[in-house]
Amino acid sequence: MHRTLSLRRLTACVALLAAIALGVPAFAQSTGMVKGKVVDAANQPVEDAKVTIEFADGMNRKYEVKSNKKGEFIQIGLQPGNYKIVAAKEGVGTQGFDVRVRLGTPLEVNFVLSPAGPGGAPMSKEDVEFRKVFQEGVTALNANDFDTALAKFQETTTTRADCFQCYLGVGEAYRGKNDFTNAETNFRKAAELKPDAPEPYRALRDMYNAMKKFDEAAAMAEEANKRGGATPAGGGSAADLYNQAATFWNAGKFNEAKQALDQALTLDANHADSHFLMGKVLVNQGQLPEALNHLEQYLQFAPNGANAAEAKTLVDALKATIKQ
């Protein structure tokens, strides 16, 4: 229920808003995330492919997830580090990559499965070479070797000019080199090749956020949404929706941020960062008790999280304000 604030509480609320006006890091997850898509040789989604994500830095830690009807998969809560990720489905094929998971922007890994070996037709020499070069590009990109990644992905676009994922790779390599003009060109080329895909718009959203072009980032976020990029029906994740909300927050679109956070918390009621940002959005809207509830939940789920100090400060200020 909407409450009318007293002058005293309104003044305190304004002070709280001043304390949080500088925004929130747009991609502040405390753990890593891998997502992507599995398609077959005809570029059709592969449902129920098993995606195995195995930690490669000493500890025995292994995750398994299956792709949905759109071929999409996601795994959150990953400790940063090196992983071996393999997608496989009997009769369709197997492909694996060595990747590095970091905090921040989710790592995207896409697979193209083709039959090979016993029970399947062997891949052509051209296919084998294409996959080799593409994987070398992915490996270089994850190692922040952007020059090598750029050369490898550009080689794949020469071989296959209609390769959607290749142009995404070129764009990511340029973005890593801070060449945002060429990054934008290649992300938009990927969007032309696959108009219904949200991935190029997510990439543009992330890039514009980093450039502090928040209005443009919000526009790209909305384009990704139209293509099922960050909604429960579209197979998005709580982390995706949190990033979506952070984009809207940075652009000053607080109602849109709240809608995205509502969806994120519907998908994962324990998503700490979504509770944190929801608390700040609700302070902005004058809903102080509700804001306090979300900030306290953030501290419950992430007592030592990246935003814990700020959350504690806001909780103390809100408790003092609400008592007035």
Side-chain angles (χ1 to χ4, degrees):
M1 177 181 296
H2 177 74
R3 296 177 175 85
T4 301
L5 299 179
S6 68
L7 179 60
R8 188 176 182 183
R9 290 184 70 232
L10 180 58
T11 302
C13 183
V14 169
L16 281 168
L17 287 174
I20 67 174
L22 294 179
V24 61
F27 306 99
Q29 297 98 322
S30 56
T31 56
M33 166 182 163
V34 172
K35 62 180 180 178
K37 189 170 184 179
V38 185
V39 300
D40 61 20
N43 202 35
Q44 296 302 306
V46 177
E47 184 179 3
D48 289 333
K50 183 171 76 172
V51 180
T52 304
I53 305 165
E54 190 165 6
F55 194 57
D57 286 342
M59 288 183 290
N60 183 17
R61 188 169 296 172
K62 187 175 181 180
Y63 306 83
E64 289 186 357
V65 64
K66 286 191 174 183
S67 56
N68 62 18
K69 291 182 179 180
K70 295 183 178 181
E72 297 167 339
F73 68 91
I74 186 167
Q75 177 65 53
I76 62 175
L78 298 176
Q79 176 180 328
N82 296 304
Y83 287 80
K84 176 71 174 180
I85 178 167
V86 178
K89 185 171 183 179
E90 186 175 357
V92 181
T94 301
Q95 187 178 29
F97 296 110
D98 294 318
V99 302
R100 182 166 182 79
V101 173
R102 295 180 173 84
L103 299 180
T105 302
L107 175 64
E108 188 156 336
V109 183
N110 297 304
F111 297 91
V112 181
L113 305 186
S114 296
M123 289 189 294
S124 69
K125 180 180 178 180
E126 291 77 12
D127 283 341
V128 171
E129 179 61 23
F130 172 82
R131 288 195 181 196
K132 175 178 176 293
V133 174
F134 185 86
Q135 182 163 353
E136 288 171 347
V138 171
T139 300
L141 189 64
N142 285 311
N144 291 336
D145 182 357
F146 301 118
D147 288 329
T148 299
L150 180 59
K152 295 297 181 181
F153 286 126
Q154 285 179 327
E155 184 178 344
T156 62
T157 61
T158 300
T159 305
R160 297 185 183 177
D162 62 346
C163 177
F164 161 78
Q165 294 170 347
C166 301
Y167 282 100
L168 280 178
V170 172
E172 289 293 353
Y174 273 124
R175 180 163 64 142
K177 290 165 61 68
N178 294 323
D179 185 343
F180 300 128
T181 299
N182 278 316
E184 181 180 43
T185 297
N186 283 275
F187 289 145
R188 292 193 179 277
K189 175 65 175 179
E192 290 175 9
L193 289 171
K194 201 170 182 181
D196 293 334
E199 291 87 355
Y201 297 98
R202 290 176 187 156
L204 288 165
R205 175 199 69 190
D206 295 352
M207 185 177 76
Y208 290 143
N209 259 321
M211 297 169 70
K212 301 189 183 303
K213 292 184 175 182
F214 299 130
D215 288 338
E216 291 91 333
M220 292 302 99
E222 289 172 351
E223 291 298 325
N225 265 353
K226 293 176 185 177
R227 292 157 176 81
T231 64
S237 68
D240 259 339
L241 287 156
Y242 165 76
N243 288 338
Q244 171 77 52
T247 298
F248 286 132
W249 167 271
N250 287 331
K253 297 185 175 184
F254 304 119
N255 289 332
E256 291 88 342
K258 184 176 183 300
Q259 290 172 7
L261 291 167
D262 281 334
Q263 294 179 29
L265 293 170
T266 297
L267 287 175
D268 182 0
N270 298 337
H271 193 258
D273 288 326
S274 292
H275 281 293
F276 174 74
L277 185 51
M278 180 67 91
K280 297 182 76 167
V281 169
L282 291 172
V283 167
N284 180 279
Q285 296 181 337
Q287 300 178 49
L288 304 191
E290 294 86 349
L292 175 61
N293 177 54
H294 282 284
L295 290 164
E296 288 180 330
Q297 287 189 71
Y298 169 80
L299 291 171
Q300 175 186 342
F301 296 129
N304 299 311
N307 299 307
E310 184 179 357
K312 290 174 184 175
T313 298
L314 288 171
V315 164
D316 291 343
L318 283 166
K319 285 181 176 179
T321 301
I322 291 169
K323 285 181 181 179
Q324 294 177 7

